Short mmCIF file of all heavy atoms in Angstrom, two decimals:
data_model
loop_
_atom_site.label_atom_id
_atom_site.label_comp_id
_atom_site.label_asym_id
_atom_site.label_seq_id
_atom_site.Cartn_x
_atom_site.Cartn_y
_atom_site.Cartn_z
N THR A 443 102.26 100.00 79.61
CA THR A 443 102.49 101.28 78.93
C THR A 443 101.40 102.28 79.28
O THR A 443 101.68 103.44 79.61
CB THR A 443 102.57 101.08 77.41
OG1 THR A 443 103.67 100.21 77.12
CG2 THR A 443 102.75 102.40 76.68
N ILE A 444 100.15 101.84 79.23
CA ILE A 444 99.02 102.73 79.53
C ILE A 444 99.11 103.21 80.98
O ILE A 444 99.04 104.42 81.25
CB ILE A 444 97.67 102.02 79.27
CG1 ILE A 444 97.48 101.78 77.77
CG2 ILE A 444 96.51 102.82 79.85
CD1 ILE A 444 96.38 100.79 77.43
N PHE A 445 99.27 102.28 81.91
CA PHE A 445 99.32 102.64 83.32
C PHE A 445 100.49 103.59 83.60
O PHE A 445 100.33 104.63 84.24
CB PHE A 445 99.44 101.38 84.18
CG PHE A 445 99.42 101.67 85.66
CD1 PHE A 445 98.24 101.63 86.37
CD2 PHE A 445 100.60 101.97 86.35
CE1 PHE A 445 98.21 101.89 87.74
CE2 PHE A 445 100.58 102.23 87.71
CZ PHE A 445 99.38 102.20 88.41
N ASN A 446 101.67 103.22 83.13
CA ASN A 446 102.86 104.02 83.43
C ASN A 446 102.80 105.40 82.78
O ASN A 446 103.26 106.38 83.38
CB ASN A 446 104.12 103.26 83.03
CG ASN A 446 104.33 102.03 83.90
OD1 ASN A 446 103.64 101.82 84.89
ND2 ASN A 446 105.27 101.19 83.52
N ARG A 447 102.21 105.49 81.61
CA ARG A 447 102.04 106.80 80.95
C ARG A 447 101.14 107.70 81.80
O ARG A 447 101.38 108.88 81.94
CB ARG A 447 101.45 106.62 79.56
CG ARG A 447 101.23 107.90 78.79
CD ARG A 447 100.64 107.62 77.43
NE ARG A 447 99.56 106.65 77.56
CZ ARG A 447 98.28 106.91 77.30
NH1 ARG A 447 97.91 108.07 76.88
NH2 ARG A 447 97.36 105.98 77.46
N LEU A 448 100.12 107.11 82.40
CA LEU A 448 99.17 107.88 83.21
C LEU A 448 99.70 108.21 84.60
O LEU A 448 99.44 109.30 85.11
CB LEU A 448 97.86 107.09 83.37
CG LEU A 448 97.03 106.85 82.12
CD1 LEU A 448 95.90 105.87 82.42
CD2 LEU A 448 96.48 108.17 81.59
N PHE A 449 100.40 107.26 85.24
CA PHE A 449 100.65 107.39 86.66
C PHE A 449 102.10 107.42 87.10
O PHE A 449 102.38 107.72 88.27
CB PHE A 449 99.92 106.26 87.41
CG PHE A 449 98.44 106.25 87.15
CD1 PHE A 449 97.84 105.18 86.51
CD2 PHE A 449 97.64 107.32 87.53
CE1 PHE A 449 96.47 105.15 86.27
CE2 PHE A 449 96.27 107.32 87.30
CZ PHE A 449 95.68 106.22 86.66
N ALA A 450 103.06 107.11 86.24
CA ALA A 450 104.47 107.08 86.67
C ALA A 450 104.91 108.45 87.18
O ALA A 450 105.49 108.54 88.27
CB ALA A 450 105.38 106.60 85.55
N ALA A 451 104.64 109.49 86.44
CA ALA A 451 105.05 110.83 86.87
C ALA A 451 104.04 111.42 87.86
O ALA A 451 104.42 111.93 88.92
CB ALA A 451 105.20 111.75 85.66
N GLN A 452 102.76 111.32 87.55
CA GLN A 452 101.72 111.95 88.35
C GLN A 452 101.60 111.34 89.75
O GLN A 452 101.41 112.05 90.73
CB GLN A 452 100.38 111.85 87.61
CG GLN A 452 99.23 112.45 88.35
CD GLN A 452 97.89 112.12 87.69
OE1 GLN A 452 97.73 111.08 87.06
NE2 GLN A 452 96.93 113.00 87.88
N GLN A 453 101.69 110.01 89.85
CA GLN A 453 101.51 109.32 91.14
C GLN A 453 102.78 108.60 91.61
O GLN A 453 102.73 107.89 92.61
CB GLN A 453 100.37 108.30 91.01
CG GLN A 453 99.03 108.90 90.69
CD GLN A 453 98.42 109.61 91.88
OE1 GLN A 453 98.61 109.21 93.02
NE2 GLN A 453 97.67 110.66 91.63
N ASN A 454 103.87 108.75 90.87
CA ASN A 454 105.13 108.09 91.20
C ASN A 454 104.95 106.58 91.36
O ASN A 454 105.52 105.95 92.24
CB ASN A 454 105.75 108.69 92.47
CG ASN A 454 107.20 108.28 92.65
OD1 ASN A 454 107.96 108.21 91.69
ND2 ASN A 454 107.60 107.98 93.88
N THR A 455 104.11 106.01 90.49
CA THR A 455 103.76 104.59 90.59
C THR A 455 103.85 103.94 89.23
O THR A 455 103.39 104.50 88.23
CB THR A 455 102.32 104.42 91.13
OG1 THR A 455 102.22 105.13 92.37
CG2 THR A 455 101.97 102.97 91.35
N VAL A 456 104.45 102.73 89.19
CA VAL A 456 104.56 101.97 87.94
C VAL A 456 103.94 100.59 88.10
O VAL A 456 103.86 100.06 89.21
CB VAL A 456 106.04 101.84 87.47
CG1 VAL A 456 106.61 103.21 87.08
CG2 VAL A 456 106.89 101.17 88.52
N LEU A 457 103.54 100.04 86.98
CA LEU A 457 102.99 98.69 86.91
C LEU A 457 104.06 97.79 86.33
O LEU A 457 104.68 98.13 85.32
CB LEU A 457 101.74 98.70 86.01
CG LEU A 457 101.01 97.38 85.80
CD1 LEU A 457 100.43 96.86 87.12
CD2 LEU A 457 99.89 97.57 84.77
N GLU A 458 104.28 96.63 86.96
CA GLU A 458 105.32 95.70 86.51
C GLU A 458 104.81 94.27 86.50
O GLU A 458 104.10 93.86 87.42
CB GLU A 458 106.56 95.77 87.42
CG GLU A 458 107.25 97.10 87.42
CD GLU A 458 108.43 97.13 88.37
OE1 GLU A 458 108.76 96.09 88.99
OE2 GLU A 458 109.03 98.22 88.51
N LYS A 459 105.22 93.50 85.50
CA LYS A 459 104.85 92.09 85.42
C LYS A 459 105.98 91.22 85.97
O LYS A 459 107.07 91.69 86.24
CB LYS A 459 104.54 91.70 83.98
CG LYS A 459 105.74 91.73 83.04
CD LYS A 459 105.32 91.37 81.63
CE LYS A 459 106.50 91.50 80.68
NZ LYS A 459 106.11 91.21 79.29
N GLY A 460 105.67 89.93 86.11
CA GLY A 460 106.71 88.96 86.42
C GLY A 460 106.78 88.49 87.85
O GLY A 460 107.60 87.64 88.18
N ALA A 461 105.91 88.98 88.73
CA ALA A 461 105.95 88.56 90.13
C ALA A 461 105.37 87.16 90.29
O ALA A 461 104.46 86.78 89.57
CB ALA A 461 105.17 89.54 91.00
N ASP A 462 105.92 86.39 91.23
CA ASP A 462 105.34 85.08 91.55
C ASP A 462 103.99 85.25 92.23
O ASP A 462 103.09 84.43 92.06
CB ASP A 462 106.27 84.27 92.45
CG ASP A 462 107.50 83.79 91.69
OD1 ASP A 462 107.42 83.62 90.46
OD2 ASP A 462 108.54 83.59 92.35
N GLU A 463 103.86 86.29 93.02
CA GLU A 463 102.60 86.64 93.68
C GLU A 463 102.39 88.15 93.51
O GLU A 463 103.35 88.92 93.56
CB GLU A 463 102.65 86.30 95.18
CG GLU A 463 102.67 84.82 95.47
CD GLU A 463 101.39 84.11 95.01
OE1 GLU A 463 100.30 84.73 95.04
OE2 GLU A 463 101.48 82.94 94.62
N PRO A 464 101.15 88.58 93.35
CA PRO A 464 100.90 90.02 93.23
C PRO A 464 101.29 90.73 94.51
O PRO A 464 101.14 90.18 95.61
CB PRO A 464 99.40 90.12 92.99
CG PRO A 464 98.84 88.76 93.06
CD PRO A 464 99.94 87.78 93.26
N LEU A 465 101.77 91.95 94.36
CA LEU A 465 102.23 92.70 95.52
C LEU A 465 102.30 94.18 95.18
O LEU A 465 102.70 94.55 94.08
CB LEU A 465 103.61 92.21 95.96
CG LEU A 465 104.24 92.87 97.18
CD1 LEU A 465 103.47 92.49 98.45
CD2 LEU A 465 105.70 92.48 97.31
N TYR A 466 101.94 95.01 96.14
CA TYR A 466 102.16 96.45 96.02
C TYR A 466 103.34 96.80 96.92
O TYR A 466 103.31 96.50 98.11
CB TYR A 466 100.92 97.25 96.43
CG TYR A 466 101.19 98.73 96.49
CD1 TYR A 466 101.33 99.46 95.31
CD2 TYR A 466 101.34 99.38 97.70
CE1 TYR A 466 101.60 100.82 95.35
CE2 TYR A 466 101.60 100.75 97.75
CZ TYR A 466 101.74 101.46 96.57
OH TYR A 466 102.00 102.80 96.61
N LYS A 467 104.36 97.42 96.33
CA LYS A 467 105.55 97.80 97.09
C LYS A 467 105.70 99.31 97.04
O LYS A 467 106.05 99.87 96.00
CB LYS A 467 106.80 97.13 96.51
CG LYS A 467 106.80 95.62 96.68
CD LYS A 467 108.03 94.99 96.10
CE LYS A 467 109.17 95.18 97.06
NZ LYS A 467 110.40 94.48 96.67
N PRO A 468 105.45 99.98 98.16
CA PRO A 468 105.62 101.43 98.17
C PRO A 468 107.11 101.79 98.12
O PRO A 468 107.96 101.02 98.57
CB PRO A 468 104.99 101.85 99.50
CG PRO A 468 105.09 100.64 100.37
CD PRO A 468 105.00 99.45 99.44
N ALA A 469 107.38 102.95 97.59
CA ALA A 469 108.76 103.45 97.58
C ALA A 469 109.22 103.66 99.01
O ALA A 469 108.45 104.11 99.86
CB ALA A 469 108.83 104.76 96.80
N THR A 470 110.45 103.30 99.28
CA THR A 470 110.98 103.46 100.64
C THR A 470 112.11 104.47 100.71
O THR A 470 112.52 104.87 101.79
CB THR A 470 111.47 102.11 101.20
OG1 THR A 470 112.46 101.57 100.32
CG2 THR A 470 110.31 101.13 101.37
N GLU A 471 112.63 104.84 99.55
CA GLU A 471 113.73 105.81 99.51
C GLU A 471 113.43 106.88 98.46
O GLU A 471 112.69 106.64 97.51
CB GLU A 471 115.04 105.10 99.14
CG GLU A 471 115.48 104.07 100.16
CD GLU A 471 116.79 103.39 99.76
OE1 GLU A 471 117.53 103.93 98.93
OE2 GLU A 471 117.05 102.30 100.30
N ALA A 472 114.04 108.03 98.64
CA ALA A 472 113.88 109.11 97.67
C ALA A 472 114.34 108.63 96.29
O ALA A 472 115.33 107.90 96.18
CB ALA A 472 114.70 110.32 98.10
N GLY A 473 113.61 108.98 95.28
CA GLY A 473 113.96 108.59 93.92
C GLY A 473 113.35 107.27 93.47
O GLY A 473 113.36 106.95 92.30
N GLU A 474 112.85 106.48 94.41
CA GLU A 474 112.18 105.23 94.06
C GLU A 474 110.74 105.50 93.65
O GLU A 474 110.16 106.52 94.02
CB GLU A 474 112.14 104.27 95.26
CG GLU A 474 113.40 103.53 95.53
CD GLU A 474 113.21 102.50 96.64
OE1 GLU A 474 112.21 102.53 97.37
OE2 GLU A 474 114.10 101.67 96.76
N GLN A 475 110.19 104.55 92.91
CA GLN A 475 108.77 104.61 92.57
C GLN A 475 108.01 103.51 93.29
O GLN A 475 108.57 102.45 93.57
CB GLN A 475 108.58 104.47 91.06
CG GLN A 475 109.11 105.67 90.29
CD GLN A 475 108.87 105.54 88.81
OE1 GLN A 475 109.35 104.61 88.18
NE2 GLN A 475 108.12 106.48 88.27
N HIS A 476 106.74 103.78 93.57
CA HIS A 476 105.86 102.74 94.08
C HIS A 476 105.67 101.74 92.95
O HIS A 476 105.64 102.12 91.77
CB HIS A 476 104.51 103.33 94.49
CG HIS A 476 104.60 104.50 95.41
ND1 HIS A 476 105.07 104.41 96.70
CD2 HIS A 476 104.30 105.80 95.21
CE1 HIS A 476 105.03 105.60 97.26
NE2 HIS A 476 104.57 106.46 96.37
N ARG A 477 105.53 100.45 93.31
CA ARG A 477 105.42 99.41 92.28
C ARG A 477 104.20 98.53 92.51
O ARG A 477 104.01 97.99 93.58
CB ARG A 477 106.69 98.56 92.27
CG ARG A 477 107.93 99.39 91.92
CD ARG A 477 109.24 98.70 92.22
NE ARG A 477 109.32 97.39 91.59
CZ ARG A 477 109.99 96.37 92.12
NH1 ARG A 477 110.62 96.51 93.26
NH2 ARG A 477 110.04 95.22 91.51
N VAL A 478 103.38 98.43 91.47
CA VAL A 478 102.23 97.52 91.46
C VAL A 478 102.69 96.30 90.67
O VAL A 478 102.89 96.38 89.45
CB VAL A 478 100.99 98.16 90.80
CG1 VAL A 478 99.83 97.18 90.76
CG2 VAL A 478 100.60 99.46 91.52
N LEU A 479 102.91 95.19 91.36
CA LEU A 479 103.44 93.98 90.73
C LEU A 479 102.32 92.98 90.50
O LEU A 479 101.52 92.72 91.41
CB LEU A 479 104.51 93.35 91.62
CG LEU A 479 105.65 94.27 92.04
CD1 LEU A 479 106.49 93.63 93.13
CD2 LEU A 479 106.51 94.61 90.84
N PHE A 480 102.27 92.41 89.29
CA PHE A 480 101.25 91.40 89.02
C PHE A 480 101.90 90.10 88.58
O PHE A 480 103.06 90.07 88.20
CB PHE A 480 100.21 91.90 88.01
CG PHE A 480 100.73 92.20 86.63
CD1 PHE A 480 100.67 91.25 85.63
CD2 PHE A 480 101.24 93.45 86.33
CE1 PHE A 480 101.12 91.53 84.35
CE2 PHE A 480 101.69 93.74 85.05
CZ PHE A 480 101.64 92.77 84.06
N ARG A 481 101.11 89.03 88.66
CA ARG A 481 101.62 87.67 88.41
C ARG A 481 102.05 87.48 86.97
O ARG A 481 101.28 87.72 86.05
CB ARG A 481 100.56 86.63 88.76
CG ARG A 481 100.42 86.41 90.24
CD ARG A 481 99.46 85.30 90.53
NE ARG A 481 99.77 84.09 89.79
CZ ARG A 481 100.45 83.06 90.28
NH1 ARG A 481 100.89 83.09 91.51
NH2 ARG A 481 100.69 82.01 89.56
N HIS A 482 103.26 87.00 86.84
CA HIS A 482 103.84 86.57 85.58
C HIS A 482 103.50 87.54 84.45
O HIS A 482 103.89 88.69 84.50
CB HIS A 482 103.41 85.13 85.26
CG HIS A 482 103.74 84.19 86.38
ND1 HIS A 482 105.03 83.83 86.69
CD2 HIS A 482 102.95 83.57 87.30
CE1 HIS A 482 105.03 83.02 87.74
NE2 HIS A 482 103.78 82.85 88.13
#
């Protein structure tokens, strides 16, 4: 909530849980957001 409130609109980037391995996935198409994925 803290990260997304700060950066979802301003940096088009969201933080998400649940990944088996941490990964940063940049947006590849218009309308997508960059995703910072963390473990479980």
